[in-house]
Every structure is written in C-alpha cells, then in structure tokens.
Amino acid sequence: MTDVRHVLVLPDRDAAEEVAEELPARFGVAEEPQLVRDALAGEDDAEDAQWLVVVEDPDSRLDRTALDELAAAHEGWLEAP
C-alpha cells in the first residue's frame, strides 16, 4: 500500500489553522497536519501567500470529496493528486 499525502490549499493562515484543528475530530487523523506557507510565484508581499495543510494518509482511508468540502468551506480547495 502506498502512502498518500493530501494537500489542502487555504487563502490564509487562520483558515489553515481552523482546518488543521478540525481534521482530527472529523476524519480521525492521528498524525498532526503540517501547515506550510506557500508564497505565490513572483510575489514578495507577505500578504500574498496561500497556506497549505498537508495531511498524511498512510492507509488511503480519507475521503477526498469530504476533504475538498472542508477546504471549500474555508474558501480553499483540495489539490489534485
């Protein structure tokens, strides 16, 4: 079985932190999600950054549709694999 990594893209740090807090309760994620600041290409302004929530899914058991809906509720999306 291959390890799967889901990447949720959020518009700001607050949204990313909220999503990261919801993941364990909603999806039973055992490993703490990683928060990563993703500066947009060519942008120097610190405000012009998206935040990524990286979720490890070693058993490939997380529902991609539900993850995408969670991200969408926070004005974000789930990156395609």
Side-chain angles (χ1 to χ4, degrees), residues 37-49:
R37 182 179 175 275
D38 183 33
L40 300 176
E43 296 293 336
D44 293 329
D45 187 350
E47 296 301 312
D48 291 327

Side-chain angles (χ1 to χ4, degrees), residues 16-79:
E17 288 175 345
E18 287 176 26
V19 167
E21 288 174 12
E22 288 183 46
L23 284 166
R26 284 185 64 175
F27 297 96
V29 174
E31 189 174 320
E32 178 138 357
Q34 291 178 286
L35 294 175
V36 181
R37 182 179 175 275
D38 183 33
L40 300 176
E43 296 293 336
D44 293 329
D45 187 350
E47 296 301 312
D48 291 327
Q50 296 172 326
W51 282 80
L52 309 179
V53 177
V54 181
V55 184
E56 300 295 334
D57 185 12
D59 300 322
S60 299
R61 63 177 186 76
L62 298 180
D63 181 343
R64 291 188 51 79
T65 301
L67 287 171
D68 191 43
E69 290 170 356
L70 173 60
H74 295 274
E75 300 180 13
W77 66 89
L78 177 65
E79 278 290 294

